[in-house]
């Protein structure tokens, strides 16, 4: 009983800060997505492809969540964009206060799109609102086709599913129809993209959609 109360208070506090983040981001006309996946699904490489593809057409910033190291933010800073690294030192998810701190380091006035790369973990990140417009869950073909059934909250709370590493389909036991079907059985309204961040397949479709979500303001 005590544990449940503490948990609820933590989430209530988180949701208050998340709403503040959302109000501020929306007031600045920023479209914000929160990227969730297990470790190694290709979130950072996808972000690199997005920056290559539409970095000149939209003003983009990223917040990187990792348990340790600044490696991912360094990869993205090479594109000349604001990249803030949050190191959770063991914490397995981002929360709204961590993102609020990171937002203080980003000039939101000219920003069109903010991508928050959550800590690689399909469990608790799905339960924490950061103030984003939507969660995007990334499942890679190397994880097989059953993850939506085993980690349903991540797929239920997301608006978009990106199935990544499609180039590896010939080599891994993953049935694309089953993966899609499992995801849609958990969340019938998921919008699904199929990509290979490695070869670039599917990136134009994903980026076209992202640009529609984040119109450049005059
Ligand atoms: Mg990463
Ligand atoms: Zn966690």
């Amino acid at each position: 009983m005590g544990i449940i109360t503490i948990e609820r208070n933590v989430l209530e506090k988180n949701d208050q800060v998340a709403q503040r983040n959302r109000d501020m981001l929306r007031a600045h006309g920023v479209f914000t997505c929160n990227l969730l996946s297990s470790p190694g699904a290709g979130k950072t490489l996808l972000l690199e492809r997005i920056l290559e593809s539409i970095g000149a057409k939209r003003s983009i910033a990223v917040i990187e969540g990792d348990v340790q190291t600044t490696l991912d933010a360094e990869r993205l800073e090479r594109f000349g964009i604001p990249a803030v690294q949050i190191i959770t030192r063991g914490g397995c998810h981002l929360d709204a206060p961590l993102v609020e701190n990171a937002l203080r380091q980003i000039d939101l006035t000219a920003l069109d799109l903010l991508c928050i790369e959550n800590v690689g973990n399909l469990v608790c990140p799905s339960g924490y609102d950061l103030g984003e417009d939507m969660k995007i869950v990334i499942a890679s073909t190397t994880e097989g086709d059953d993850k939506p059934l085993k980690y349903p909250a991540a797929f239920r709370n997301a608006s978009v599913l990106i199935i990544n590493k499609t180039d590896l389909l010939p080599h891994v036991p993953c049935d694309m129809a089953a993966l899609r079907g499992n995801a849609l059985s958990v969340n019938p309204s998921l919008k699904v993209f199929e990509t290979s961040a490695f070869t670039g397949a599917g990136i134009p479709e994903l980026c076209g959609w992202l640009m529609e979500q984040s119109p450049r303001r005059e």
Side-chain angles (χ1 to χ4, degrees), residues 74-96:
E74 287 165 23
R75 280 172 64 181
L76 299 167
E77 249 175 359
R78 288 202 299 256
F79 291 86
I81 58 146
V84 178
Q85 179 79 53
I86 298 172
I87 297 174
T88 63
R89 301 198 191 285
C92 48
H93 59 268
L94 293 181
D95 61 25

Side-chain angles (χ1 to χ4, degrees), residues 141 143-146 163 169 172-182:
T141 59
E143 300 166 67
D145 45 46
D146 59 356
I163 301 175
L169 274 170
V172 294
C174 176
D175 177 336
M176 278 295 265
L179 176 50
R180 261 180 185 268
N182 288 338

Side-chain angles (χ1 to χ4, degrees), residues 87-174:
I87 297 174
T88 63
R89 301 198 191 285
C92 48
H93 59 268
L94 293 181
D95 61 25
L98 287 170
V99 169
E100 183 179 46
N101 278 331
L103 287 174
R104 295 199 180 103
Q105 299 178 49
I106 300 174
D107 179 7
L108 300 178
T109 49
L111 202 63
D112 302 313
L113 172 62
L114 173 65
C115 296
I116 304 172
E117 182 182 334
N118 219 307
V119 178
N121 171 1
L122 268 185
V123 187
C124 38
S126 67
Y128 283 81
D129 183 8
L130 306 180
E132 70 274 1
D133 288 298
M134 64 173 63
K135 290 182 170 70
I136 296 179
V137 63
I138 297 146
S140 76
T141 59
T142 53
E143 300 166 67
D145 45 46
D146 59 356
K147 292 303 170 289
L149 304 178
K150 295 173 96 170
Y151 303 97
F155 293 81
R156 195 182 307 121
N157 295 336
S159 305
V160 172
L161 163 64
I162 300 174
I163 301 175
N164 192 33
K165 304 195 186 182
T166 53
D167 55 302
L168 295 180
L169 274 170
H171 311 290
V172 294
C174 176

Side-chain angles (χ1 to χ4, degrees), residues 9-86:
N9 288 344
V10 166
L11 286 174
E12 277 174 8
K13 170 87 169 77
N14 182 79
D15 287 351
Q16 285 168 14
V17 179
Q19 193 53 49
R20 253 189 350 246
N21 291 346
R22 181 175 291 106
D23 290 345
M24 183 167 65
L25 288 161
R26 289 201 173 159
H28 286 89
V30 181
F31 177 72
T32 305
C33 48
N34 176 2
L35 306 182
L36 312 184
S37 80
S38 51
K43 292 186 296 304
T44 312
L45 189 56
L46 268 172
L47 285 173
E48 290 181 304
R49 289 287 173 265
I50 289 166
L51 289 168
E52 280 169 13
S53 175
I54 62 170
K57 297 175 181 154
R58 293 292 183 272
S59 172
I60 306 174
V62 297
I63 295 174
E64 287 291 307
D66 280 291
V67 169
Q68 200 50 268
T69 80
T70 57
L71 293 170
D72 282 359
E74 287 165 23
R75 280 172 64 181
L76 299 167
E77 249 175 359
R78 288 202 299 256
F79 291 86
I81 58 146
V84 178
Q85 179 79 53
I86 298 172

